[in-house]
Amino acid sequence: MSDLRFLIEFQQYAADEDRSGRSATQQHRLYVALRDAILRRALSAGAVLPGTRGLATELGIARNSVIYAYEQLAAEGYVHPSRQGTVVSAVAQPVPGRRMSTSHRGEGGLSQRVRGLVFRRTPQDDLLPFRPGIPALDAFPLPAWQRALDRAGSGLRGDDLGYRYAMGEPELRQAIATYLRAARGVRCDSDQIVVTTGTQD
């Protein structure tokens, strides 16, 4: 890491966008830059990565972004912690779909079992933890969800499938009006209340 090759590569990643067309986060760009540097052997096995505080200062990014990138790399086996710091692992998993030069093939001493594995990348592989609006899809209770849908749909009638009152259910609007009069001292009736799904509406 004494040379500036990695820093230059990271600055290039900073100007790129991810596959979805949205700007990737700093922590994700740093993770990708480090991962690719390890896979291309630009960071050789046994190399010690800089401390999170020092690298964050050098790159001009938040330290938490560096910590996230290191933790993600460690979780995937690209690096491992030691007394010396964060060390690049001897065996790195190849990126599916990315071709490596012939000069780098065979390096790393992959076992026969690992070489025989087939890696297929799915859209879920690019999901980051705690992304708004996307639950933990691998932990979603699909059987329970299907049973709930079946119960809810068993008594449906034809008119239940259409749109109902655009301003909201009359009973709900009346209950809100009653609450506002009692709790807030606001004089209004249900015709003055509109129920929305959120502040943007």
Side-chain angles (χ1 to χ4, degrees):
M1 267 313 228
S2 57
D3 59 12
L4 297 180
R5 283 185 303 171
F6 168 69
L7 297 180
I8 293 173
E9 290 174 3
F10 177 75
Q11 296 303 329
Q12 292 172 348
Y13 273 100
D16 290 342
E17 292 186 342
D18 64 10
R19 296 186 186 90
S20 64
R22 295 169 295 190
S23 295
T25 61
Q26 287 182 333
Q27 58 193 29
H28 185 66
R29 288 196 298 267
L30 177 58
Y31 154 75
V32 171
L34 285 169
R35 181 196 65 189
D36 289 357
I38 294 171
L39 289 172
R40 292 194 320 274
R41 307 302 193 265
L43 291 173
S44 58
V48 180
L49 300 183
T52 56
R53 193 183 307 276
L55 184 57
T57 301
E58 194 167 1
L59 295 176
I61 62 177
R63 185 189 179 200
N64 283 344
S65 297
V66 180
I67 293 175
Y68 165 84
Y70 281 18
E71 289 178 346
Q72 188 68 24
L73 290 168
E76 296 177 7
Y78 292 108
V79 299
H80 61 274
S82 71
R83 293 182 179 179
Q84 288 75 30
T86 302
V87 180
V88 176
S89 298
V91 176
Q93 174 179 317
V95 177
R98 183 183 295 274
R99 298 180 62 185
M100 297 182 64
S101 65
T102 55
S103 62
H104 290 137
R105 288 177 187 168
E107 293 181 13
L110 295 177
S111 67
Q112 184 175 359
R113 183 180 66 85
V114 173
R115 285 198 302 270
L117 294 177
V118 177
F119 300 101
R120 291 187 176 86
R121 196 166 189 82
T122 67
Q124 283 72 28
D125 293 331
D126 294 323
L127 292 180
L128 296 176
F130 305 109
R131 178 165 288 185
I134 301 179
L137 300 177
D138 57 338
F140 193 80
L142 284 175
W145 178 257
Q146 187 62 53
R147 289 194 298 271
L149 287 177
D150 292 341
R151 286 196 302 270
S154 61
L156 284 178
R157 298 169 302 182
D159 54 351
D160 292 327
L161 302 177
Y163 290 104
R164 293 176 63 84
Y165 304 95
M167 295 178 63
E169 291 293 326
E171 295 82 0
L172 175 60
R173 287 159 45 213
Q174 182 59 54
I176 293 174
T178 301
Y179 169 81
L180 291 175
R181 283 196 296 269
R184 303 290 183 177
V186 177
R187 293 184 178 182
C188 65
D189 55 41
S190 60
D191 292 334
Q192 295 173 288
I193 295 175
V194 179
V195 180
T196 70
T197 58
T199 56
Q200 297 302 316
D201 290 348

